[in-house]
C-alpha cells in the first residue's frame, strides 16, 4: 500500500515553455503533498507543501509564480514549471501523506526535467 | 533551525559492515528515516524509527538512535555491491510536519 505515482519520469522542453508534473496517490488519500527539488549530487530541498483544497506553502526562496502547485483533489497534486529556463533543469520529487501513511511519507519516483 | 548533517562519502570492503552517521537538530522530531537513492532513481524508504525507540533492526539493517546527542546511525551488515547508493538521513520536522533531508552519504563498495 501507500503508492505514489509521478509522471512524467523524464521530460525535455524548450526555454520559455511550461511543464506540468503530476503526482498521484494510488491507494490512499493524500491530504498533504510535498514537492522537492534535487540538484546533481546534492540533497533534496523542500520547495513547497500543499494541502488539498488550499494554497501551497512555499519555502523561503522558492518563486511562487514560477512553480505553480495545485492540489485540487485528495489523490492528485501538480507542479507546473512556468517559462522554464535551463537553470530550472533538475530532478523533482513529490511525496504524499495521508491518514493511512502513519509512519511517514511516500515518495514518487521523480521527474528529470531538462530545459534546452 | 532545521538541519540534518551527514558525511558525504563512505567506502567499505564487500562483506564488511557499513555504518552511516547522521546528526539532527530538532529535538522534538517524531520520526527519523533512512532513504536509499540509486543513480537516476527516486527515493526508497529503507527504514524508519520512532523517536521513542533506541534501536530498530530489520534483516541486515540496524538503526541506532541517541536522542540525547541527536545522533542517528544506519548499520548495513555484510555489505554487498548492490548496496552502492546514496543514503539520506531525514527527520520529520514536527512543528511543520515536513521531512528535512541530510546531504546524503555516497556509499561505495570495494572488492
Amino acid at each position: 500500500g501507500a503508492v505514489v505515482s509521478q509522471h512524467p519520469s523524464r521530460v525535455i522542453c524548450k526555454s520559455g515553455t511550461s511543464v506540468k508534473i503530476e503526482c498521484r496517490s494510488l491507494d490512499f488519500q493524500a491530504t498533504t503533498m510535498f514537492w522537492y527539488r534535487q540538484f546533481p549530487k546534492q540533497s533534496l530541498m523542500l520547495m513547497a507543501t500543499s494541502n488539498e483544497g488550499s494554497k501551497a506553502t512555499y519555502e523561503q526562496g522558492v518563486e511562487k509564480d514560477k512553480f505553480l502547485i495545485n492540489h485540487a483533489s485528495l489523490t492528485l497534486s501538480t507542479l507546473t514549471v512556468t517559462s522554464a529556463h535551463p537553470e530550472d533543469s533538475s530532478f523533482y520529487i513529490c511525496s504524499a501523506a495521508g491518514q493511512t501513511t502513519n509512519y511517514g511519507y511516500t515518495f514518487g519516483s521523480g521527474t528529470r526535467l531538462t530545459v534546452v | 533551525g532545521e538541519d540534518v548533517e551527514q558525511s558525504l562519502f563512505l567506502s567499505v570492503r564487500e562483506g564488511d559492515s557499513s555504518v552511516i552517521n547522521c546528526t539532527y537538530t530538532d529535538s522534538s522530531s517524531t520520526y527519523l528515516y533512512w532513504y536509499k537513492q540509486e543513480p537516476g532513481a527516486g527515493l526508497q524508504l529503507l527504514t524508519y524509527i520512532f523517536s521513542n525507540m533506541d534501536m530498530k533492526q530489520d534483516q541486515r539493517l540496524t538503526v541506532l538512535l541517541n536522542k540525547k546527542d541527536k545522533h542517528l546511525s544506519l548499520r548495513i551488515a555484510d555489505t554487498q555491491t548492490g548496496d552502492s547508493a546514496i543514503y539520506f538521513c531525514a527527520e520529520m520536522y514536527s512543528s511543520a510536519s515536513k521531512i528535512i533531508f541530510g546531504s546524503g552519504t555516497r556509499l561505495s563498495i570495494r572488492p
Side-chain angles (χ1 to χ4, degrees):
Chain A
V3 177
V4 172
S5 174
Q6 187 173 340
H7 291 281
S9 57
R10 191 179 295 267
V11 59
I12 300 173
C13 71
K14 292 184 178 180
S15 287
T17 61
S18 295
V19 173
K20 181 184 284 188
I21 302 169
E22 292 189 349
C23 182
R24 292 181 185 272
S25 58
L26 298 186
D27 51 2
F28 68 101
Q29 292 185 327
T31 49
T32 307
M33 286 189 172
F34 303 84
W35 288 95
Y36 290 83
R37 180 175 181 177
Q38 185 181 31
F39 291 101
K41 298 184 179 180
Q42 294 189 28
S43 187
L44 284 82
M45 291 180 52
L46 180 64
M47 298 173 66
T49 303
S50 72
N51 292 296
E52 185 265 339
S54 61
K55 290 184 178 180
T57 302
Y58 289 81
E59 295 296 303
Q60 193 172 6
V62 177
E63 298 177 60
K64 300 177 183 181
D65 295 333
K66 178 150 194 71
F67 299 100
L68 300 179
I69 292 171
N70 184 288
H71 191 168
S73 79
L74 284 171
T75 59
L76 175 64
S77 176
T78 60
L79 167 67
T80 301
V81 183
T82 62
S83 187
H85 290 282
E87 57 266 30
D88 298 325
S89 298
S90 192
F91 193 57
Y92 294 88
I93 306 177
C94 70
S95 70
Q99 289 186 345
T100 57
T101 56
N102 56 4
Y103 57 78
Y105 306 150
T106 302
F107 283 79
S109 54
T111 298
R112 172 77 59 194
L113 170 64
T114 304
V115 184
V116 297
Chain B
E2 311 159 2
D3 198 14
V4 179
E5 295 189 353
Q6 309 175 232
S7 53
L8 294 179
F9 301 99
L10 177 65
S11 176
V12 300
R13 194 182 301 275
E14 186 176 2
D16 288 350
S17 292
S18 306
V19 179
I20 305 172
N21 295 301
C22 168
T23 57
Y24 60 97
T25 56
D26 184 12
S27 59
S28 59
S29 294
T30 312
Y31 300 94
L32 294 126
Y33 310 88
W34 284 104
Y35 284 89
K36 178 182 180 181
Q37 186 180 38
E38 297 186 36
L43 295 175
Q44 174 192 354
L45 177 65
L46 283 179
T47 187
Y48 63 95
I49 188 168
F50 296 113
S51 58
N52 62 356
M53 296 169 65
D54 297 324
M55 187 192 83
K56 180 179 181 181
Q57 187 163 2
D58 183 3
Q59 299 182 350
R60 291 192 298 126
L61 306 178
T62 303
V63 178
L64 295 178
L65 174 60
N66 181 330
K67 280 198 75 174
K68 174 176 173 291
D69 295 336
K70 300 193 188 81
H71 182 266
L72 183 74
S73 68
L74 173 69
R75 178 177 179 270
I76 306 173
D78 187 24
T79 309
Q80 303 297 309
T81 55
D83 295 325
S84 293
I86 300 175
Y87 291 82
F88 290 97
C89 167
E91 65 166 337
M92 179 175 290
Y93 196 60
S94 57
S95 64
S97 297
K98 58 187 180 183
I99 294 180
I100 302 299
F101 286 82
S103 55
T105 299
R106 184 177 296 272
L107 175 64
S108 60
I109 316 301
R110 305 191 304 272

